[in-house]
Amino acid sequence: MKRHWWKWLGVILVTYTIVQGFLGEVPRLPILHETIRNLYFHVTMWFAMMCMMTISLIGSIMVLSQPLKKRDIMASEFAYTGMMLGVLGLVTGMVWAKYTWGTWWTSDPQLNGAAITMLSYAAYAVLRNAIDDSDKRARIAAVYNIFAYTMMVVFIVILPKTGNVDSLHPGKGGNPGFNTYDLDNNMRMVFYPAIIGWILVSVWIANLRIRVRKLHNFES
């Protein structure tokens, strides 16, 4: 039981996030209104996604230094878990955009960058399934994973923050960030625990996937 404390903590924090996300007090702001509650889900899932992809990147670098099968499994399963979070982030972002910007999708550079990132990682999954030899698959996938991670950082982190790129997202394209005008103390009490909770639950999911993969490999 003591070894699994972090799993219980993740479940408690995510449950707390969901309850506060629907029932907690939030600032009454123009345009955003009640949709600001999506901050606890959309943004925090992207934080968790970035964390999963970073762990996957570390696994891929370890594969290139010493190609062990367990490292390849770790890299791939954390990437797949990150992809799941990325898709959820896109869906929640589209819902948010519909009720604040009036459309499901715009030419916003961060939205397009997120879509390109997910397509890059989808190609990672296709690449893995296209190679039969396990050693070759591990090495090629590791190299591509490093490339996909670099693309993610460029399109999600760097490009939207450049001054010459127009973006509707807070803190991007010259817009003030949430901390500047609407992330009050009440929201911080939910937002930061939500990031920790989604990360812990995501790590738990990735570990379960790794265990399933190892069992499947053992049986085969």
Side-chain angles (χ1 to χ4, degrees):
M1 185 63 127
K2 291 181 179 179
R3 288 170 29 188
H4 304 297
W5 65 268
W6 59 274
K7 299 176 184 177
W8 291 107
L9 177 61
V11 171
I12 291 170
L13 291 177
V14 168
T15 303
Y16 167 71
T17 299
I18 293 172
V19 172
Q20 290 297 316
F22 285 99
L23 301 178
E25 288 292 327
V26 294
R28 298 297 187 264
L29 299 169
I31 301 176
L32 289 174
H33 303 296
E34 291 292 326
T35 66
I36 196 174
R37 297 178 184 276
N38 202 12
L39 181 75
Y40 302 142
F41 305 98
H42 171 66
V43 179
T44 55
M45 284 179 181
W46 278 108
F47 272 103
M49 185 271 286
M50 296 283 289
C51 182
M52 296 304 102
M53 296 311 190
T54 301
I55 296 173
S56 175
L57 171 71
I58 294 171
S60 292
I61 293 173
M62 293 170 65
V63 166
L64 293 177
S65 63
Q66 189 176 6
L68 299 177
K69 195 165 189 177
K70 62 180 182 180
R71 294 178 176 178
D72 180 52
I73 292 174
M74 182 191 82
S76 61
E77 294 306 328
F78 271 93
Y80 294 151
T81 305
M83 288 173 63
M84 176 194 71
L85 290 165
V87 171
L88 290 173
L90 281 176
V91 172
T92 54
M94 289 171 63
V95 173
W96 203 353
K98 176 62 177 177
Y99 287 96
T100 54
W101 302 339
T103 180
W104 295 101
W105 198 272
T106 72
S107 59
D108 186 274
Q110 188 152 351
L111 283 175
N112 293 333
I116 293 172
T117 296
M118 289 299 99
L119 289 174
S120 298
Y121 277 100
Y124 169 80
V126 172
L127 177 66
R128 290 190 62 87
N129 292 326
I131 303 173
D132 294 327
D133 184 83
S134 59
D135 291 334
K136 182 184 289 186
R137 178 174 61 237
R139 290 182 178 276
I140 294 177
V143 173
Y144 182 85
N145 195 18
I146 295 172
F147 165 77
Y149 186 88
T150 304
M151 294 285 288
M152 178 184 69
V153 172
V154 170
F155 281 107
I156 294 181
V157 180
I158 298 175
L159 187 61
K161 288 186 177 181
T162 58
N164 58 345
V165 174
D166 188 24
S167 176
L168 297 173
H169 278 82
K172 311 291 171 57
N175 294 327
F178 274 112
N179 283 335
T180 304
Y181 64 91
D182 55 17
L183 188 56
D184 61 12
N185 289 331
N186 289 332
M187 293 196 71
R188 290 189 181 93
M189 293 297 292
V190 182
F191 180 72
Y192 296 117
I195 294 175
I196 297 172
W198 288 117
I199 289 175
L200 291 178
V201 169
S202 300
V203 171
W204 187 7
I205 293 172
N207 282 331
L208 288 174
R209 291 182 58 92
I210 290 171
R211 291 173 64 184
V212 171
R213 278 279 300 278
K214 288 181 177 179
L215 286 172
H216 176 75
N217 291 340
F218 177 77
E219 291 175 355
S220 60

